[in-house]
Amino acid sequence: MPDVITVRVQTDSDSFQDVVVTIERPTYHKPFLGGFKNQITGVEFHNAGSQTIPKKRPDKGIQLSCRETQTVFEKNKAQQTRNTTSTQMTKIGLYVSNMTDKLISPGKYLTAEEYHKRRLEAVIVLQKYFRRWHAINVVQNLREEMRLRLAWEAQAELWRKKEKEEKLRREHERRLNPKTKDDFELLYNALELWRQEEAERIDRTLTGAERKAAFCGLLEQEAQLIASIGRHKLNAYEKNQQKAILHFLAKCAQPKRWKAYDGKVTEMDTQYTLHARELLEIYRSISMNDIPKDERLDVLLTLRRTVKEHECKLTQEIVELIDREVDLMSREVKECNLEGLRKRICTLFLQYIKTPKFNPEVARILKVPPDPLKLYKNINFCHSCENYLPSSEFPVPANSRTIGRCRLCCKLDNEARRREAFLKYKLILENLRKSEADYQDDSKIVFLVQHQDLQYMIENIWGSQSALSACSDLYDLVMVRWDKQCEWSPWNTILLTKDEADAHLKLCNLEKAYEAAFIHRIKHKHIRAKNYFTQIPAMASFLHRSDNQANAN
């Protein structure tokens, strides 16, 4: 049969209509719904049929209609015990003993409700004991966690106590044996605190002539203490100067270093670094005291050969002093009488080493460039000491519009009048810069802020205490970002203790972590800081950029 056939249908008594019928071929085997089959020809005659495609069953991954699931196979098999047994009952002519028999009597009948009730009670008992066991384990775990927590807190408290004691011990040691500028700054600060306490005690307890006499005595004691601090400062300056000279010469003698693509550091010695190292060894030898006479003569001869390579007025003077010392040593002159001569030799030889003509490696380290034209670029005049100094020697706080006094004049003024100690603020600023460098997001504002600006922020804006716990120990306080997604600035910071800062930096949403009143108080401090630091011209661009970012957000 073709796929398309034409069928004529009678629509009226005299009219007919041709209808085109499309035959759809089944794509499946037609099911047998009834009929019969011609046994001779094999043709099937169906009583009924349908062209509707049957609905497919969803594939569940397993076979549902199969012989194994719809057919039950039964199998009969006889079973026989291995041992043949038999039973025997008592009868006429046969006696069977019942001494070993066991009498079984029927018990109480148990209904289904009673059975399930007993099972439920048994389940409740099992659950009760399991929950008890589970609760005991939970309590033991909580007790163990509490023990570990208390032990950790005790250890942390002990560590903090030891750290504080060590800090006080170091501070006491620095006051007893001051060596650096910060040490003498602390010493002058302690002197000022002592003077204020004594002055308050005299004002509170004495009057009239006794008060004037007590103030005179206090002035004399203060003058003696200042003189003692000055002597310590001279001794420390001499020791530090010698260390600085050796560090300077060791820096000149370092080999050239560069980092390769694989991360390895390569070092290379040049003829200039080798010569600088030789000069360092000679200077270290001639500056040593209490060495044998023969070794001293060998060092002087080595020094003489070294400086004789260049003929100038400086080398001639060094050679003359060397000959004079050799002559005096041959005459058995005492060591104490040669100290001045040896110091002159060391000083002149150090001048020889710092000359780029004789030691080319020193040219890249000298603060004063060999070319005098470079001195005119970044040189400013100090109106206090009336010296021309490079711009790096002038501190520029946020509230200054012109170049003021140099660092040395500021230090002398602080020692003479205010006697403030800036060590704590310097430590906070140093920790802040280290933490900002770890972010590696090109932070710049933190490197423009000086310790005077940080002191103003801590004292006047934050009140010298933590914003959360009101802790006032500056050694335990740090400054961190308020919003860690933005770079640090005076209007994006918060003053906290070290533990509080670690917890604050772990927060993801500040609005949910803090109350609205606390956030409002912090925002108010940020506005005060922004108004203060608008005086810095270099920060104007950062202010505009932060405002633009806020508007964009």
Side-chain angles (χ1 to χ4, degrees):
M1 182 181 292
D3 293 338
V4 180
I5 61 176
T6 303
V7 179
R8 175 167 290 185
V9 180
Q10 184 177 1
T11 60
D12 202 356
S13 59
D14 298 331
S15 62
F16 295 90
Q17 182 181 359
D18 294 337
V19 179
V20 178
V21 179
T22 303
I23 299 176
E24 295 183 358
R25 303 293 181 183
T27 59
Y28 61 96
H29 181 69
K30 189 174 184 180
F32 178 74
L33 301 179
F36 62 94
K37 180 179 180 181
N38 192 336
Q39 298 293 337
I40 299 174
T41 61
V43 178
E44 291 182 356
F45 298 92
H46 294 180
N47 294 336
S50 175
Q51 291 184 347
T52 305
I53 300 176
K55 184 178 180 181
K56 293 184 178 180
R57 294 181 179 181
D59 187 10
K60 297 183 179 180
I62 58 175
Q63 187 176 5
L64 299 179
S65 301
C66 62
R67 186 179 184 87
E68 286 78 7
T69 58
Q70 296 180 352
T71 307
V72 177
F73 290 93
E74 295 182 357
K75 186 176 182 180
N76 296 329
K77 186 176 181 181
Q79 299 289 339
Q80 182 65 33
T81 59
R82 294 181 180 272
N83 298 326
T84 303
T85 59
S86 62
T87 59
Q88 182 66 51
M89 304 298 294
T90 302
K91 66 179 183 176
I92 300 174
L94 178 64
Y95 171 76
V96 179
S97 176
N98 58 359
M99 297 298 295
T100 59
D101 291 350
K102 184 177 181 181
L103 181 61
I104 299 177
S105 59
K108 182 181 178 182
Y109 179 74
L110 190 66
T111 63
E113 294 181 358
E114 293 175 349
Y115 172 76
H116 289 296
K117 180 180 179 182
R118 189 171 66 179
R119 292 294 300 269
L120 180 61
E121 292 175 353
V123 168
I124 292 174
V125 171
L126 291 176
Q127 289 181 350
K128 179 174 65 175
Y129 281 99
F130 172 77
R131 290 172 180 173
R132 179 175 178 270
W133 171 81
H134 183 66
I136 290 174
N137 290 339
V138 170
V139 171
Q140 288 179 352
N141 293 335
L142 292 175
R143 188 180 292 113
E144 182 66 17
E145 291 178 0
M146 183 182 70
R147 186 187 66 79
L148 295 176
R149 175 70 181 183
L150 293 177
W152 177 82
E153 289 180 356
Q155 187 70 19
E157 185 66 25
L158 181 62
W159 178 78
R160 290 194 196 95
K161 187 177 179 181
K162 288 184 178 179
E163 185 182 15
K164 192 170 184 179
E165 291 177 354
E166 180 66 18
K167 193 182 299 179
L168 293 175
R169 188 192 64 79
R170 286 199 305 267
E171 187 173 348
H172 183 67
E173 181 67 22
R174 294 174 72 172
R175 291 182 180 179
L176 289 178
N177 299 313
K179 297 179 182 179
T180 62
K181 296 178 182 178
D182 295 333
D183 297 346
F184 286 102
E185 201 173 74
L186 290 175
L187 205 56
Y188 278 110
N189 180 253
L191 175 62
E192 180 64 18
L193 294 177
W194 170 81
R195 188 193 66 80
Q196 292 177 1
E197 291 178 359
E198 291 295 321
E200 291 177 0
R201 183 184 62 82
I202 292 172
D203 284 334
R204 187 175 60 253
T205 58
L206 301 177
T207 57
E210 294 181 354
R211 178 175 175 275
K212 292 183 179 180
F215 272 115
C216 290
L218 178 61
L219 183 61
E220 291 180 0
Q221 292 181 7
E222 183 182 4
Q224 291 176 3
L225 292 174
I226 291 174
S228 177
I229 294 174
R231 288 192 296 269
H232 281 288
K233 187 182 292 187
L234 291 176
N235 296 332
Y237 175 76
E238 292 179 359
K239 296 179 181 179
N240 293 336
Q241 186 182 20
Q242 186 66 19
K243 291 181 180 178
I245 291 172
L246 293 176
H247 178 72
F248 174 80
L249 298 180
K251 198 172 181 181
C252 296
Q254 287 181 352
K256 306 291 184 181
R257 297 180 181 178
W258 63 89
K259 196 172 184 179
Y261 67 94
D262 55 355
K264 295 182 179 179
V265 179
T266 305
E267 297 183 356
M268 183 186 70
D269 281 317
T270 62
Q271 57 178 349
Y272 300 128
T273 57
L274 294 175
H275 182 61
R277 197 173 304 163
E278 182 182 355
L279 295 178
L280 170 62
E281 294 299 328
I282 295 174
Y283 180 82
R284 185 180 286 123
S285 299
I286 66 170
S287 59
M288 292 175 61
N289 297 324
D290 301 330
I291 61 175
K293 183 178 179 180
D294 297 338
E295 294 183 8
R296 180 69 184 182
L297 290 174
D298 292 340
V299 171
L300 291 175
L301 292 177
T302 304
L303 175 60
R304 193 175 189 278
R305 285 197 305 270
T306 302
V307 300
K308 283 288 287 183
E309 295 177 359
H310 305 88
E311 290 292 338
C312 65
K313 185 178 180 181
L314 177 62
T315 57
Q316 291 176 2
E317 188 174 357
I318 294 175
V319 171
E320 290 178 1
L321 293 177
I322 291 173
D323 295 338
R324 187 183 305 175
E325 183 180 355
V326 171
D327 182 50
L328 292 176
M329 289 176 63
S330 63
R331 299 184 183 186
E332 302 295 335
V333 178
K334 295 181 180 181
E335 296 286 337
C336 59
N337 297 329
L338 297 176
E339 290 183 1
L341 180 60
R342 291 175 177 177
K343 286 183 180 179
R344 288 183 61 190
I345 294 175
C346 289
T347 304
L348 292 177
F349 183 59
L350 180 62
Q351 184 179 353
Y352 173 87
I353 295 175
K354 289 184 177 181
T355 304
K357 181 180 178 181
F358 309 139
N359 185 15
E361 196 65 24
V362 82
R364 61 183 179 87
I365 303 177
L366 286 176
K367 291 185 179 180
V368 180
D371 187 7
L373 296 177
K374 295 182 180 180
L375 292 173
Y376 294 100
K377 293 183 179 180
N378 296 321
I379 297 298
N380 296 294
F381 179 71
C382 177
H383 295 278
S384 180
C385 61
E386 298 183 352
N387 289 328
Y388 288 93
L389 299 171
S391 58
S392 59
E393 295 296 327
F394 291 87
V396 184
N399 57 356
S400 64
R401 296 182 178 273
T402 59
I403 297 295
R405 295 175 296 183
C406 63
R407 297 183 186 275
L408 181 60
C409 294
C410 293
K411 184 174 75 69
L412 291 176
D413 179 70
N414 182 48
E415 293 176 358
R417 295 192 299 174
R418 294 176 298 167
R419 295 173 183 170
E420 296 180 354
F422 303 104
L423 177 62
K424 299 177 182 180
Y425 304 103
K426 291 179 181 177
L427 292 177
I428 294 176
L429 182 59
E430 182 180 354
N431 293 332
L432 176 60
R433 288 177 175 175
K434 287 181 180 179
S435 63
E436 286 299 308
D438 294 337
Y439 281 104
Q440 296 181 357
D441 56 356
D442 197 20
S443 300
K444 297 178 181 178
I445 301 179
V446 68
F447 298 100
L448 296 176
V449 176
Q450 304 296 323
H451 69 271
Q452 296 94 337
D453 307 326
L454 197 70
Q455 180 185 7
Y456 177 84
M457 291 175 55
I458 293 175
E459 293 181 354
N460 299 324
I461 297 178
W462 296 96
S464 299
Q465 61 183 9
S466 171
L468 285 174
S469 60
C471 176
S472 58
D473 188 3
L474 292 180
Y475 281 116
D476 294 336
L477 297 180
V478 293
M479 267 197 168
V480 294
R481 297 181 178 184
W482 168 251
D483 184 5
K484 62 182 179 181
Q485 303 299 331
C486 304
E487 69 171 320
W488 183 92
S489 61
W491 49 92
N492 183 34
T493 184
I494 184 171
L495 185 64
L496 300 171
T497 62
K498 296 178 181 178
D499 297 335
E500 294 170 353
D502 294 338
H504 172 78
L505 294 176
K506 294 178 182 179
L507 299 177
C508 298
N509 192 341
L510 299 177
E511 303 293 336
K512 296 181 180 179
Y514 298 118
E515 295 182 353
F518 179 79
I519 295 176
H520 177 73
R521 189 164 65 250
I522 298 300
K523 295 294 183 182
H524 178 68
K525 295 180 183 295
H526 291 170
I527 293 173
R528 290 178 57 191
K530 182 178 286 188
N531 293 334
Y532 176 77
F533 282 96
T534 51
Q535 302 177 16
I536 304 180
M539 283 195 180
S541 59
F542 296 105
L543 286 169
H544 294 315
R545 186 175 65 182
S546 63
D547 293 339
N548 294 335
Q549 289 179 356
N551 295 332
N553 293 333

